[in-house]
Amino acid sequence: MKKQPGWALPNLQEAQKRTTKESHVERSLFQIPDEIRKIGQGKKYFLRTYGCQANERDSETLAGILEQLQFTAVDKAEDADLILMNTCAIRKNAEDKVLGELGSLKRLKRTNPDIIFGLCGCMAQEEDIISLLLEKYRHVNLVFGTHNLHRLPELLYEVMTTGKACIEVLSKEGDVIENLPVKRFGHHKAWVNIMYGCDKFCTYCIVPYTRGKERSRLMEDILDEVRQLKEEGYKEITLLGQNVNSYGKDLHLEGGFARLLEETAKIGVERIRFTTSHPWDFSDEMIDVIARYDNIMPFIHLPVQSGDDEILKIMGRRYTREQYLTLFHKIKERVKNCAFSTDIIVGFPNETDEQFEHTLELVDECKFDNAFTFIYSPREGTPAARMQDNVSLETKQKRLAILNERWNAYAHEKNEAYLGKVVKVLVDGASKKNKDVYSGYTETNKLVNFTANNVKPGDIVEVRITACKTFSLDGEQC
Ligand code: 5AD
Ligand code: SF4
């Protein structure tokens, strides 16, 4: 891929800027011009998604667009005319996975010289990744970012008709686009975006740069989508945002996320979840609503990142350890049988043994049901990446192992408390190995493998728990 005039390239400094301008709702921005309508006829696409639920949901949009263009999905990259990688930039190892995959797929060009290699998502928003693609991954010939999914038809058309590579990455987020197609991957569980972007700027995190400013969808648009999903038979809805608690702030919406959550609950879908919540603006009104509605699941993902005040401050998290614990205990008291998961970063620049110990002590106190634990990964362009770091990789790895052992023990303990109990499980499907064994999730988001007869995906069934492991439960249908 050679740099060409007319390309729009990313700029992380531009992406950092925030305006007070309210975003508009675009109801007809996505259009497929007539000459493009059938460009996918007879052609196959392979779409791979990395990273978080926001990317999963974006991939549903990408698949929806590609199928409107008459492309057909395939499960193997080898069978595809278009390979599209929807990527994640949160840590270096996430990027390395994508680059490794892209490198190994290059061979497909030998048997299919017209194959299109597309890269989109958060990695596309990074300047150093684009430079790397231009230098070392010249077979990649289509790149677009997180703000211009709606441009996929035109960009594909350009690559397919000119044979030239095309890069279009916008550093400024656009408006909220409401008329994008969607091909839902789940049949009884659905993701619903409630907002885009993040304004928190935690000092280690690339997301506010790759996903732009916080923009909320209008409440009526969200509720309409939930109503429609209910009519289509969906049993579980997950409201999505990088920080759902901020929902509506940009719209000056009275009641904010608590109000949206309540209105969603009233629609009557069996299960409502939401992710992710920042502890900083988790309001009492939100806790009240969660406690009052049986169809809002008693499971909260509440990322803490560190248990040490000094580290939290340098991370820019806007809460102290004490404030986190107060919130945690408040939710636990008010929401019956609530389960918690968290995110924790070890080895933030200059983290001392004592500071790490504070994180372990917080884990001892909270006894999380689940945790996502990471070694800090410097992200070019973020404030933390410019900090000196005196912690060796070996120390960081040791801390991660100690932390994992610690939270795993509590997760096991939490699961043991389920032994002999009856829980409600939303069935995902049958095991590939044994068709009498099904799997699904409890209201508290525990994975259960259970024996049953005559159940189908989407059913909510009662299961008695007979055995427990660290990451799952076993049971039998009652
Ligand atoms: N290094 C390591 N982990 C990170 N996360 C975000 N940025 C980084 C980084 N630079 C983690 C945080 C966040 C989760 C989605 O990813 O724990 O909550
Ligand atoms: Fe990243 Fe912090 Fe925003 Fe989460 S809240 S996406 S960790 S900047």
Side-chain angles (χ1 to χ4, degrees):
M1 184 162 60
K2 267 212 202 105
K3 197 168 169 182
Q4 293 184 21
W7 279 359
L9 300 177
N11 179 328
L12 285 179
Q13 276 201 329
E14 274 302 305
Q16 185 178 7
K17 292 185 186 152
R18 293 294 187 263
T19 60
T20 50
K21 183 182 127 300
E22 264 182 45
S23 59
H24 290 286
V25 180
E26 287 283 355
R27 299 199 183 274
S28 54
L29 190 66
F30 174 73
Q31 299 286 342
I32 304 179
D34 279 344
E35 66 276 21
I36 304 184
R37 208 158 275 284
K38 291 185 181 164
I39 53 165
Q41 212 166 45
K43 297 204 181 291
K44 304 189 178 95
Y45 75 94
F46 173 79
L47 173 59
R48 173 156 288 174
T49 313
Y50 298 84
C52 67
Q53 292 94 339
N55 263 17
E56 287 288 338
R57 179 61 189 79
D58 279 353
S59 281
E60 294 184 335
T61 296
L62 295 168
I65 297 176
L66 290 171
E67 301 204 0
Q68 284 204 353
L69 297 172
Q70 305 196 2
F71 281 89
T72 314
V74 288
D75 293 335
K76 286 201 295 207
E78 285 73 10
D79 297 334
D81 303 287
L82 163 66
I83 293 175
L84 191 52
M85 303 279 194
N86 189 8
T87 63
C88 169
I90 199 102
R91 283 170 292 276
K92 184 167 182 301
N93 56 6
E95 296 185 344
D96 289 345
K97 249 194 260 168
V98 173
L99 294 171
E101 184 83 7
L102 272 180
S104 98
L105 290 174
K106 183 179 173 187
R107 67 193 145 80
L108 300 179
K109 214 167 168 69
R110 266 183 263 139
T111 44
N112 183 358
D114 293 331
I115 191 165
I116 298 176
F117 288 101
L119 183 140
C120 62
C122 287
M123 277 172 77
Q125 298 290 140
E126 296 181 289
E127 286 140 272
D128 53 345
I129 291 293
I130 298 295
S131 307
L132 189 70
L133 295 179
L134 288 169
E135 200 186 320
K136 297 208 172 120
Y137 295 80
R138 296 193 178 168
H139 57 295
V140 175
N141 51 354
L142 170 65
V143 182
F144 57 98
T146 56
H147 304 311
N148 57 343
L149 270 54
H150 63 285
R151 291 267 302 146
L152 180 57
E154 283 90 348
L155 300 177
L156 262 176
Y157 183 71
E158 197 174 319
V159 176
M160 288 168 82
T161 52
T162 65
K164 287 190 187 148
C166 177
I167 301 185
E168 186 180 278
V169 181
L170 313 178
S171 298
K172 277 258 106 354
E173 67 288 325
D175 292 312
V176 171
I177 308 173
E178 282 299 342
N179 72 324
L180 289 166
V182 54
K183 177 192 178 190
R184 305 251 176 216
F185 297 150
H187 298 295
H188 54 273
K189 295 186 193 174
W191 310 111
V192 173
N193 281 322
I194 64 165
M195 59 189 299
Y196 307 97
C198 179
D199 288 345
K200 288 283 184 286
F201 286 102
C202 301
T203 55
Y204 51 82
C205 186
I206 193 79
V207 170
Y209 307 77
T210 60
R211 293 252 164 205
K213 175 173 126 103
E214 284 176 359
R215 290 101 68 208
S216 301
R217 292 179 68 199
L218 297 183
M219 187 149 85
E220 262 324 299
D221 288 327
I222 299 167
L223 297 178
D224 279 349
E225 185 174 342
V226 174
R227 277 184 211 108
Q228 193 186 335
L229 287 164
K230 178 169 187 270
E231 259 169 45
E232 289 169 17
Y234 281 86
K235 299 284 172 63
E236 181 174 302
I237 301 284
T238 303
L239 303 177
L240 283 186
Q242 299 301 335
N243 172 26
V244 293
N245 313 5
S246 288
Y247 171 75
K249 286 186 181 161
D250 55 325
L251 303 173
H252 311 290
L253 179 85
E254 213 178 300
F257 182 63
R259 188 168 147 211
L260 173 71
L261 194 55
E262 177 156 26
E263 293 305 318
T264 308
K266 282 187 199 158
I267 292 173
V269 177
E270 270 89 341
R271 290 184 167 198
I272 294 158
R273 300 186 187 277
F274 55 90
T275 198
T276 294
S277 280
H278 191 297
W280 182 67
D281 44 10
F282 203 117
S283 67
D284 282 358
E285 289 76 15
M286 276 172 63
I287 304 177
D288 264 355
V289 173
I290 299 164
R292 257 190 295 126
Y293 287 85
D294 284 347
N295 60 342
I296 302 178
M297 295 297 101
F299 169 74
I300 312 280
H301 181 60
L302 198 64
V304 66
Q305 313 299 357
S306 166
D308 181 79
D309 278 341
E310 190 57 31
I311 294 284
L312 286 171
K313 198 163 162 197
I314 310 172
M315 283 177 164
R317 289 292 289 177
R318 310 175 192 208
Y319 53 83
T320 61
R321 165 199 179 86
E322 215 40 55
Q323 285 167 331
Y324 180 90
L325 289 171
T326 304
L327 172 67
F328 177 89
H329 289 299
K330 201 177 346 172
I331 301 173
K332 206 170 154 190
E333 258 166 44
R334 306 250 291 269
V335 181
K336 246 188 332 183
N337 301 321
C338 191
F340 291 86
S341 66
T342 196
D343 292 343
I344 299 174
I345 297 176
V346 299
F348 190 74
N350 311 314
E351 182 190 55
T352 63
D353 282 339
E354 199 188 345
Q355 289 172 325
F356 172 61
E357 198 55 45
H358 291 156
T359 298
L360 292 178
E361 286 164 12
L362 184 134
V363 169
D364 289 340
E365 181 163 344
C366 295
K367 302 184 171 60
F368 296 105
D369 294 78
N370 200 356
F372 301 88
T373 56
F374 313 103
I375 289 179
Y376 165 70
S377 170
R379 303 286 65 212
E380 190 69 38
T382 62
R386 294 190 284 276
M387 294 174 194
Q388 293 283 333
D389 187 2
N390 64 11
V391 190
S392 69
L393 180 61
E394 197 193 345
T395 303
K396 293 180 194 229
Q397 284 165 337
K398 272 195 199 141
R399 286 182 189 162
L400 184 69
I402 295 169
L403 174 64
N404 284 343
E405 201 179 314
R406 189 75 64 100
W407 81 257
N408 282 185
Y410 291 121
H412 198 275
E413 195 180 302
K414 287 269 158 154
N415 281 353
E416 268 171 356
Y418 280 73
L419 281 173
K421 292 211 170 117
V422 174
V423 290
K424 285 194 181 124
V425 175
L426 171 55
V427 182
D428 277 334
S431 144
K432 283 199 183 99
K433 285 189 217 131
N434 182 347
K435 67 172 179 38
D436 295 328
V437 176
Y438 293 82
S439 69
Y441 284 83
T442 64
E443 298 193 330
T444 50
N445 213 31
K446 305 258 174 208
L447 172 64
V448 186
N449 296 302
F450 62 101
T451 50
N453 36 48
N454 223 2
V455 301
K456 55 183 189 316
D459 286 351
I460 294 177
V461 295
E462 296 209 320
V463 174
R464 186 176 306 280
I465 300 304
T466 53
C468 88
K469 303 181 173 129
T470 304
F471 304 114
S472 65
L473 301 165
D474 291 341
E476 54 201 24
Q477 188 185 6
C478 297

